Amino acid sequence: MKRIIIGGTASLLGISIAVGTYLFETAPSTHLPSEIGTLPEQKSPPENDDTLQPIKSNGPIGYALAGELKITYDDGEHWSRVPIGIEVLFAGEYNGQENELIEQSFFLSEDLTAFLYVEGADDQRVKLLYSLDQGHTWNDTDIGGMIAPRFRKVYFLNEDDGYVVYTGERTMSSEATKVYMTHDSGETWTEVSQPDHYRLLYDGNFIDEKTGFLSYGILNPEEPDLYVTQDGGQSWVPARIEIPDEYHLIFTTAETPYVEGNDLVLLVNQGSSGDYKGGKVKGKFISKDNGLSWSFQKEVDADE
C-alpha cells in the first residue's frame, strides 16, 4: 500500500514540475535587474501651466520663464511654448536678472509678438524671433552683427513698421550704436544711419516712421545729450534742450519723447545719483518743432 501512495505522490510531483516548467517558459519576460542599485535621480517635472503667472503683461498678453519661455494671450488661461533657448535671450555683455526678460528686448501685442536674442560666440549676431499669429507659427530673421551687445530694444509702431536699436563693442565709456527699421512686419530689416557719437546709450525710440530719438550719457552726465532724426534715420542732429539755470546739473538725462495730446513731451531725469528733492522729480519739456528744440514746462513726479 505504501508503494502505491509513494508512486502516486511521485507522479503528481512530476506532473506539477512539468506544468510549472511549461508556464514559466511561455510567460512574458520580466527583465529583472541583475542587481539592485541606487535609483536614478528623478528630474523635477516642468511647472504646471496652471501655476504660471504672466510677467510684463500687456493687458491679457504676457510671458513666463519656467525653464523655458512661454507666452499667454488670455491672462494665463492658456500658454504656448516659444521655440527658443533661454540662454540666447540673455547673451551679450548685459545679461539682465535672468528671472525676467531684459527690459525692452521683446514686444507683445495681439497681432505681433517678438523677442530679440543673440546668437554665436565670437561673431555674434542679433536676431529676432517673431510670430504674426499669436504663437501658432514662428519666424526667425537676422538683424545684424555686434560683439557683446549691451543695450537692446525692439518696438513696432503698427502692424508693418518697427525699429530695433542695440549697442555693443563697449570700451570704457564708449560703444557703437546700431539702428534698424522694418516696414514689412519684421521680415526684413534695413540699417539706417546713427549719430557720429560714441557715448553709452541711455535709450532710443521712434514716435513715427520718420521721427526718432537717441539719448546718450549714463555715466555722470552733466546735461541731456539727445539726438533727433526727422527723415527716418538718414540724418541726425543734436536737439536743443533749454535747461533753466536753476536746474543746471540737476536735470541731466533725457528719456525718450512721447506724444501727449497735440504736444511732443520730453522728460529729463536726474541720472542715477540725482538728489534734488530726493531724486523724486523730473523736468517736463515741450517741443513745437517735432523734437528739434525743447522748452521747460514744469517739474513732475519721477513716477510719471
Side-chain angles (χ1 to χ4, degrees):
M1 185 70 178
K2 290 183 179 179
R3 290 179 181 176
I4 295 173
I5 293 173
I6 294 172
T9 302
S11 299
L12 289 174
L13 181 60
I15 293 171
S16 298
I17 293 172
V19 171
T21 301
Y22 171 78
L23 292 175
F24 177 80
E25 291 179 347
T26 58
S29 174
T30 56
H31 297 289
L32 294 176
S34 58
E35 61 179 341
I36 298 175
T38 304
L39 292 176
E41 182 180 354
Q42 298 295 316
K43 294 183 178 180
S44 300
E47 188 168 353
N48 192 308
D49 285 352
D50 293 338
T51 67
L52 295 178
Q53 294 295 323
I55 32 184
K56 298 290 185 181
S57 57
N58 175 14
I61 309 170
Y63 74 90
L65 293 174
E68 58 185 357
L69 176 61
K70 291 188 175 182
I71 188 166
T72 179
Y73 293 89
D74 54 14
D75 203 24
E77 184 173 349
H78 299 92
W79 291 89
S80 298
R81 177 181 174 275
V82 181
I84 191 171
I86 294 290
E87 65 282 353
V88 297
L89 296 167
F90 297 97
E93 180 190 358
Y94 177 69
N95 309 122
Q97 298 181 4
E98 298 194 17
N99 58 352
E100 293 186 6
L101 293 177
I102 296 174
E103 188 176 4
Q104 304 187 118
S105 69
F106 60 95
F107 180 84
L108 307 178
S109 76
E110 290 186 357
D111 300 317
L112 200 154
T113 303
F115 299 93
L116 282 174
Y117 70 97
V118 179
E119 185 177 77
D122 297 328
D123 182 20
Q124 293 184 312
R125 306 292 300 179
V126 176
K127 295 190 172 185
L128 187 74
L129 182 71
Y130 67 99
S131 175
L132 303 176
D133 55 11
Q134 296 195 352
H136 294 289
T137 60
W138 292 90
N139 305 290
D140 201 9
T141 186
D142 184 270
I143 306 295
M146 179 63 76
I147 298 174
R150 183 187 64 83
F151 176 91
R152 62 206 75 177
K153 181 176 185 177
V154 58
Y155 192 85
F156 285 84
L157 302 166
N158 50 55
E159 63 181 12
D160 296 318
D161 304 305
Y163 62 88
V164 164
V165 180
Y166 62 85
T167 69
E169 302 176 4
R170 185 168 72 90
T171 303
M172 300 299 288
S173 59
S174 64
E175 66 183 358
T177 301
K178 297 285 187 179
V179 182
Y180 289 81
M181 303 288 292
T182 183
H183 304 292
D184 54 12
S185 303
E187 182 176 354
T188 60
W189 294 84
T190 302
E191 184 178 3
V192 301
S193 69
Q194 56 276 329
D196 186 18
H197 202 54
Y198 295 93
R199 294 183 71 186
L200 300 185
L201 186 71
Y202 176 76
D203 204 349
N205 76 328
F206 279 77
I207 59 172
D208 55 42
E209 296 178 50
K210 299 295 185 181
T211 309
F213 301 90
L214 293 172
S215 176
Y216 294 89
I218 62 175
L219 299 176
N220 301 316
E222 295 186 354
E223 60 182 3
D225 190 3
L226 183 69
Y227 280 73
V228 56
T229 179
Q230 295 184 339
D231 54 17
Q234 295 183 46
S235 61
W236 298 81
V237 296
R240 298 184 300 277
I241 303 175
E242 301 169 5
I243 304 289
D245 290 342
E246 60 267 34
Y247 297 113
H248 180 59
L249 297 178
I250 294 177
F251 296 139
T252 61
T253 305
E255 300 180 1
T256 51
Y258 60 93
V259 177
E260 184 179 75
N262 296 322
D263 294 326
L264 195 56
V265 175
L266 171 68
L267 299 181
V268 181
N269 64 50
Q270 301 181 41
S272 59
S273 58
D275 59 1
Y276 172 70
K277 294 187 177 180
K280 296 181 179 180
V281 297
K282 302 176 182 178
K284 184 175 183 179
F285 295 76
I286 302 296
S287 176
K288 300 297 184 181
D289 54 11
N290 207 33
L292 291 175
S293 61
W294 300 86
S295 58
F296 179 77
Q297 186 183 52
K298 61 180 180 180
E299 293 182 11
V300 297
D301 291 338
D303 292 335
E304 183 168 330

